[in-house]
Amino acid sequence: MLLTFNYWDGQTLMVWSVSNWDILFEGRVADFYTEKIINTRGAIQLGGCSSPLMLIPQMIWNFPIWITHYFNGKRFVGTIFCVYWYKLFLLAVTLMIGILIYRIINRMTGEKKKAQLGMILMLGSAQTMLSTMYTGQDEIVYLLAILLSYDALIQKKKKWFIVWGIVSVTLCPIMIIGYAVLVVLSEKNLIKIVGKILLSIIPNGLWSLYSIGMENKIEVSINDSEFIDKMMNMAKFPITTGDASIVGIIICIIFILAYLTKKEKTELYLLYLNSIMVLISFFMDNFFYRLLIYVPFTILTILVITKEERTNMSLLLFTILEYIRMFVGGYESLQNLNTAYVAKSKIMEELLIKSGSNAIDGYRYVVGKICEHIKMAGSIVPLLNSMSIVCVGAILFIACYSKRDNNLFKMDINRNYIIDAYIACMPIIMIIFFTILFR
């Protein structure tokens, strides 16, 4: 997938991270937004970048690109090689999350096989690959940061908990919900809770103040109020004074329960954090490349909290989720696994010529082709969405139910079959994709 695709978001983020070195080296920070519109480096998109802080990890990784494309006067970096270099960064971050999951599970359960399984589930997730190796988006980066914050907290490394929490919120402001619930779980002093949460918004807050009045900011930057409105008001119902957000109500309940939970019960931290990530991933307005937001936390929930005899049931539900989410995510977005975003490398161009295919010039996508051949597939999307909610809800319920000693949710099935089916998801999809591409 790394070699096959060049989605416009990945190329754009790579180019922006390189152009940030231009304005930093030349002392033109005030031109941050203008630089995006001038676009001498070869970004595909010209808007959607709110802050240079969100791209600091990418800037560090892509520094070699800047070095090799600055002093020799080569401005354009929108090349396949540069895109591949950037996607290696996302692959490295994914591997880091896999290793972190391994460490957390091994530390909390003492079972190396479970820890290895957790790493395999993370690296083999189709939803993860869709975000990283297809779109080249940055979700995986801030997910690593919030996971590091959680890991520091359960190890009682309070300073690092705050540091990584600040990093996660700086990279993606919506992560403030996940970080805040961890703060509330671990701290019962209201003043300290507010203080720790406010610390996380200082970097972006300072940039917002510094960037007031910058030229082209309105055109390039994301409209935060519109973004929050879409995220929070996707599911709502009318009350006397207007609309009430269903997600907002659930978040409030989670925070109240978190505050009432004793901070010594660290085994519950993961359950609360996972619940927040499930809300963000399932009930807020998201693009298809954010499907993975709940994935690492649900893996940890299944393998750390859920009792061994009930783990197979949760893993089966998680596998079903993998297939459903990939299908419904593709149904909702024509850009999802589309032949138009194939990387135009020399090898790919030769293969297309030999096959006589012109799919790369069209706009053909996997789920669309499936629906063409299986007419009823599109009509059952609402049912599949309902099933996805039931599956993830059942996973959380089984985890909550783990202290009960009975055979409910026990499933006698070879776990290897479930894992094989889970890992097969993206290979199956890619076989379908290549069939479409080379026909």
Side-chain angles (χ1 to χ4, degrees):
M1 290 186 71
L2 185 152
L3 298 173
T4 301
F5 299 108
N6 180 20
Y7 189 74
W8 52 16
D9 285 7
Q11 180 171 323
T12 297
L13 288 172
M14 180 271 296
V15 169
W16 284 349
S17 68
V18 175
S19 68
N20 283 352
W21 282 113
D22 294 336
I23 62 173
L24 188 63
F25 184 75
E26 296 167 5
R28 299 186 294 108
V29 178
D31 293 335
F32 173 74
Y33 297 107
T34 303
E35 183 77 14
K36 305 300 175 288
I37 291 180
I38 295 174
N39 190 26
T40 58
R41 290 289 190 182
I44 298 176
Q45 296 179 346
L46 302 179
C49 190
S50 297
S51 162
L53 305 178
M54 62 182 279
L55 291 172
I56 289 176
Q58 290 90 329
M59 285 178 64
I60 296 169
W61 178 270
N62 291 325
F63 183 72
I65 296 179
W66 180 76
I67 284 289
T68 55
H69 291 76
Y70 183 80
F71 296 102
N72 59 3
K74 293 181 180 179
R75 301 289 299 176
F76 187 81
V77 296
T79 64
I80 294 299
F81 177 81
C82 291
V83 170
Y84 286 167
W85 172 257
Y86 164 65
K87 288 172 75 175
L88 281 174
F89 163 72
L90 300 177
L91 187 61
V93 174
T94 306
L95 182 60
M96 290 171 69
I97 288 186
I99 293 170
L100 182 59
I101 285 175
Y102 174 91
R103 288 175 53 192
I104 292 172
I105 295 173
N106 191 39
R107 188 188 314 117
M108 296 184 75
T109 67
E111 299 181 44
K112 286 190 175 181
K113 284 189 176 181
K114 268 192 176 182
Q116 291 168 354
L117 176 57
M119 188 173 182
I120 290 170
L121 291 174
M122 184 63 206
L123 299 179
S125 168
Q127 296 168 87
T128 299
M129 295 180 212
L130 184 69
S131 179
T132 55
M133 297 298 99
Y134 176 65
T135 69
Q137 268 288 348
D138 62 344
E139 276 67 32
I140 201 74
V141 184
Y142 58 74
L143 289 179
L144 174 62
I146 193 70
L147 270 172
L148 285 168
S149 181
Y150 163 75
D151 187 45
L153 179 60
I154 60 176
Q155 292 189 75
K156 298 182 179 179
K157 298 177 180 178
K158 295 182 179 179
K159 290 182 180 179
W160 282 110
F161 160 61
I162 295 171
V163 168
W164 285 117
I166 292 172
V167 170
S168 68
V169 176
T170 301
L171 296 177
C172 179
I174 197 65
M175 288 296 104
I176 194 172
I177 308 175
Y179 170 65
V181 81
L182 291 177
V183 171
V184 172
L185 282 164
S186 60
E187 182 59 70
K188 304 307 174 184
N189 184 304
L190 287 175
I191 295 176
K192 290 182 178 180
I193 289 173
V194 173
K196 288 179 179 179
I197 294 173
L198 287 177
L199 274 175
S200 69
I201 65 174
I202 287 177
N204 281 331
L206 290 175
W207 172 257
S208 296
L209 290 173
Y210 177 78
S211 62
I212 289 175
M214 278 189 182
E215 193 174 356
N216 298 308
K217 180 178 180 179
I218 296 176
E219 291 80 5
V220 175
S221 181
I222 295 172
N223 186 323
D224 291 335
S225 60
E226 184 179 338
F227 181 74
I228 293 171
D229 181 66
K230 284 183 178 181
M231 293 288 280
M232 293 299 294
N233 295 324
M234 188 176 181
K236 57 186 179 180
F237 62 91
I239 61 173
T240 306
T241 53
D243 291 330
S245 167
I246 295 175
V247 172
I249 292 171
I250 298 173
I251 289 175
C252 288
I253 293 171
I254 289 174
F255 271 85
I256 291 171
L257 293 175
Y259 184 75
L260 295 175
T261 300
K262 294 180 179 180
K263 60 183 181 181
E264 293 80 15
K265 294 187 176 182
T266 53
E267 70 277 4
L268 295 177
Y269 290 10
L270 179 57
L271 195 57
Y272 280 100
L273 180 59
N274 189 24
S275 299
I276 290 294
M277 295 306 171
V278 165
L279 281 176
I280 294 173
S281 189
F282 283 77
F283 295 97
M284 294 186 177
D285 186 41
N286 280 312
F287 292 104
F288 67 90
Y289 48 76
R290 295 197 184 107
L291 292 177
L292 84 157
I293 286 178
Y294 78 107
V295 169
F297 310 95
T298 302
I299 291 170
L300 286 171
T301 297
I302 292 172
L303 297 178
V304 171
I305 300 178
T306 305
K307 273 198 170 185
E308 175 62 26
E309 59 267 25
R310 298 179 182 128
T311 300
N312 281 354
M313 173 64 81
S314 293
L315 287 173
L316 178 61
L317 292 170
F318 192 50
T319 301
I320 293 170
L321 260 178
E322 186 88 343
Y323 285 86
I324 291 177
R325 295 274 281 177
M326 290 301 295
F327 182 83
V328 296
Y331 184 80
E332 289 298 323
S333 177
L334 306 183
Q335 298 168 5
N336 193 335
L337 292 167
N338 195 306
T339 57
Y341 302 108
V342 167
K344 296 179 181 178
S345 62
K346 289 182 179 180
I347 295 175
M348 182 59 72
E349 288 178 346
E350 288 178 5
L351 288 172
L352 288 167
I353 291 170
K354 287 181 180 179
S355 66
S357 172
N358 63 349
I360 195 171
D361 299 319
Y363 212 72
R364 308 172 192 177
Y365 62 110
V366 169
V367 176
K369 284 295 179 181
I370 292 174
C371 292
E372 278 183 22
H373 294 280
I374 306 174
K375 300 299 182 181
M376 67 171 293
S379 62
I380 63 170
V381 167
L383 173 62
L384 293 175
N385 279 322
S386 301
M387 287 176 62
S388 71
I389 300 300
V390 172
C391 285
V392 76
I395 290 171
L396 292 173
F397 180 77
I398 292 171
C400 293
Y401 200 82
S402 280
K403 290 186 178 180
R404 304 283 184 91
D405 289 321
N406 55 47
N407 291 325
L408 191 62
F409 304 118
K410 183 178 179 180
M411 175 175 281
D412 292 321
I413 184 174
N414 190 322
R415 186 173 297 180
N416 289 334
Y417 295 151
I418 301 174
I419 305 309
D420 289 344
Y422 174 89
I423 293 174
C425 183
M426 187 53 87
I428 290 171
I429 291 171
M430 289 302 293
I431 290 171
I432 297 171
F433 178 84
F434 284 124
T435 302
I436 296 168
L437 181 63
F438 293 121
R439 284 192 67 177

